[in-house]
Amino acid sequence: MTKFLFLIVRNRLAAAGGIVLLLVVVLALVTPLLPLQPPNVTDTADRFLGPLAPGHLLGTDHLGRDLLSRLLWGTRLSLAVGFAAAVIAAVIGAAIGIVAGYFGGRTDNVIMRGVDMLMAFPYILLALAIVAALGPGLMNALIAVAAVNVPFFARNIRGITVGIANKEFVEAAKLAGMGHWRIIGLEILPNVLPVIVIAMSTTIGWMILETAGLSFLGLGSQPPVADLGSMLGEARSALITNPHTSVVPGVMILFIVMGINLLGDGVRDALDPRLRSGALTRPMAATTVRRESVPEAATGESLLAVRDLETRFHVGKRIFRAVNKVSLTVAPGECLGVIGESGSGKSVTALSVMGLVASPPGVITGGRADYRGADLVGMPYRKLRRLRGDRIAYIFQDPLATLHPLYRVGDQLAEAITVHHAVGRAEAQARAVELLNDVRIPNAESRARAYPHELSGGMRQRVGIAMALANAPDIIIADEPTTALDVTVQAQILALLEDLRRARGLAVVFITHDFGVVGQLCDRVSVMYAGRVVEEGPTDAVLAAPAHPYTRRLIACVPELGQGRRKLHSIPGLPPPVDNLPEGCAFAPRCDKAQDACRRGEIPLDPTGARAVRCLYPEEDLSVRGGTG
Ligand code: ADP
Ligand code: MG
């Protein structure tokens, strides 16, 4: 609740709207206590007095009635009617929507066709017809306005309810034997309540306007009682000669409706969990870089050299150190495996290299990533863009999410080429088909005309690989490209990647959580834990003799076929949250060899020959084994 209020207050427009509205409502509430002239007493001698006349602060109207008094009483009435209409419409509409959405089938059909019929009439016309049938009067205007708004709520809430009624927790409640009405009350209603409040907060202004409209036409409040609409209506004939009689109620309507709408938008933004967590803040084209010092470039002839890379996420007051001084090198044509449990910072490392981490909340706070001697971190966006997808390509985990659902895959491939190279359409299309052939998609010619949803998961990932290959890059970063696929398809994709790599001399950074895959594919491997590299070395050496206890236990998690029965080990506990890392070794709490010294100070990544390990008590003494395993 405090968070909600905080968000409202932080949103300046919403706060301004809220203050205006609060003033108006307070004025309306205290109106009976104020020393005002009676609102309905006529005094024809004092007709059309201007504002600031003695005894009449805002002047008088065509019958000599005090405008200030009529304004305040009228506001009170308009607010009450508008609010009552909104509550009635929301309650009835929501009830209809929930029943239709929850029961579905024929109930839904019958109810919603009725609602559609109401919606088929123009809004105001329907309200006019209802008042005409019931007879003019404020009560009837209220009923009419509520009635024409019921369909809006019903439709809205039905949509939300349909979505919720199929969720597992509702199924679970049914299986637990709860009755329909109990489920609606306990499971559905709490979930749609925020939507009802949001819909109300954004429509209440409309309803006040509609009531005023009916009164303006003489169908709402009847003389001599004033509401804002009837005041406007009565002042119409004197609009030119005595404009203040129209301006006074007009300005009040403007204040009320603007106040409500601004506040309503603020309420919606604050209640919507997606907007609240900043999901709809537009990330920048490249990750923000805020480096205090830049380390020296690594020496040696690597294609990609990441050095002391640090990426953080600032979420509220918490700082997540997702990547903590990570160094990796990839030589031309080499395959580097990056392995670690989910949440160990593999993806963020890879995304940081290309400046693809969403900012906000991500910030690169240190380190560098050299591609052929040029630092990618902090590179001007235009230069970075030329490299992305051209020299350095990416394969993502979920091919369905990365392909545009409305374009044919051939067109998407062609676009990937034309973005970077000035080639004609026909040539790009031909190249696309060739690429599909390269990744062994049968009937590439016709498959190029397929949409992503027409392809199987394995096919889509092949398209993803083809897209990465489109511009013949030097290096491909593959972020768990096979995790979403089943084992047979996974094996095919891995074999394909391996072939393509050998044939084209591609360097690959292969991110995975599966040591089996690393063993099959990678020349070297870096093991990550809680945002740091804890061990690195040639794959065979690491597999044969893991030095870090974490690596050993990761390897022990891989089942081996045909090796007889072997006890599979899991690692107890979970990786620590990276916003509050313990001192010393982050793995110590889960490690069976941890000593007191492991929980103190910074433990360095100790290099020995080609291998390195960040552990005080490694499983293997690397120096004895000559460092190469
Ligand atoms: P993985 O190794 O599974 O690829 P990630 O690199 O995706 O892990 O994430 C590493 C850590 O970064 C996570 O533990 C998470 O706490 C943090 N993180 C990632 N994305 C965000 C984000 N948008 N906001 C806050 N924290 C994030
Ligand atoms: Mg990941």
Side-chain angles (χ1 to χ4, degrees), residues 106-129:
R106 190 173 305 164
T107 321
D108 185 26
N109 255 325
V110 171
I111 294 180
M112 290 327 284
R113 290 306 82 74
V115 167
D116 286 347
M117 248 147 53
L118 275 182
M119 280 192 125
F121 292 100
Y123 216 57
I124 280 291
L125 213 61
L126 187 63
L128 283 175

Side-chain angles (χ1 to χ4, degrees), residues 170-475:
V170 176
E171 302 284 316
K174 279 184 194 159
L175 290 177
M178 272 163 104
H180 287 315
W181 297 109
R182 237 178 105 83
I183 293 179
I184 287 181
L186 292 180
E187 313 281 336
I188 307 269
L189 191 62
N191 283 294
V192 296
L193 210 53
V195 184
I196 300 178
V197 173
I198 291 167
M200 244 179 87
S201 67
T202 44
T203 48
I204 203 167
W206 267 111
M207 301 211 204
I208 290 177
L209 272 184
E210 283 157 18
T211 327
L214 289 177
S215 292
F216 179 83
L217 297 174
L219 297 170
S221 85
Q222 297 300 306
V225 177
D227 79 347
L228 293 174
S230 66
M231 282 178 75
L232 262 186
E234 287 166 2
R236 191 173 27 171
S237 50
L239 183 61
I240 306 294
T241 50
N242 291 286
H244 72 279
T245 49
S246 318
V247 169
V248 165
V251 166
M252 183 55 105
I253 292 180
L254 182 76
F255 276 164
I256 293 176
V257 175
M258 272 222 329
I260 290 178
N261 286 352
L262 288 178
L263 182 66
D265 282 351
V267 168
R268 187 195 57 206
D269 291 357
L271 279 182
D272 190 320
R274 281 183 315 149
L275 292 167
R276 182 157 52 177
S277 66
L280 298 190
T281 52
R282 225 169 42 154
M284 277 175 291
T287 311
T288 311
V289 177
R290 230 178 281 138
R291 290 185 290 189
E292 259 151 38
S293 61
V294 182
E296 300 261 309
T299 48
E301 59 228 65
S302 45
L303 186 61
L304 180 70
V306 176
R307 184 137 192 227
D308 292 338
L309 189 68
E310 269 182 41
T311 306
R312 299 182 180 171
F313 292 96
H314 293 255
V315 182
K317 283 203 177 60
R318 299 166 70 184
I319 297 177
F320 292 84
R321 290 183 163 73
V323 177
N324 203 344
K325 291 201 183 290
V326 166
S327 301
L328 305 167
T329 54
V330 189
E334 186 184 38
C335 178
L336 172 74
V338 177
I339 188 166
E341 280 168 287
S342 164
S344 50
K346 309 179 298 291
S347 298
V348 177
T349 304
L351 293 169
S352 303
V353 168
M354 297 301 295
L356 287 171
V357 176
S359 285
V363 189
I364 297 178
T365 50
R368 60 188 295 155
D370 290 287
Y371 165 77
R372 291 190 188 278
D375 187 9
L376 296 169
V377 177
M379 181 180 273
Y381 175 62
R382 278 190 22 207
K383 273 173 85 180
L384 187 61
R385 215 187 91 181
R386 279 211 295 275
L387 291 176
R388 281 181 183 172
D390 187 35
R391 303 290 82 225
I392 308 177
Y394 233 94
I395 304 174
F396 292 93
Q397 174 170 351
D398 181 1
L400 189 56
T402 37
L403 292 174
H404 195 299
L406 300 182
Y407 289 122
R408 301 171 197 277
V409 294
D411 295 344
Q412 299 191 43
L413 276 171
E415 193 192 8
I417 299 169
T418 50
V419 163
H420 288 287
H421 300 279
V423 295
R425 255 185 70 86
E427 194 184 330
Q429 288 285 350
R431 192 74 193 96
V433 173
E434 210 176 292
L435 282 166
L436 291 179
N437 259 322
D438 287 352
V439 295
R440 321 240 168 83
I441 289 188
N443 304 328
E445 199 82 42
S446 66
R447 282 303 184 180
R449 286 191 297 275
Y451 290 95
H453 69 267
E454 295 171 333
L455 303 176
S456 67
M459 287 286 181
R460 282 198 290 261
Q461 195 52 291
R462 282 165 199 265
V463 174
I465 294 174
M467 198 165 271
L469 292 174
N471 296 306
D474 297 328
I475 182 165

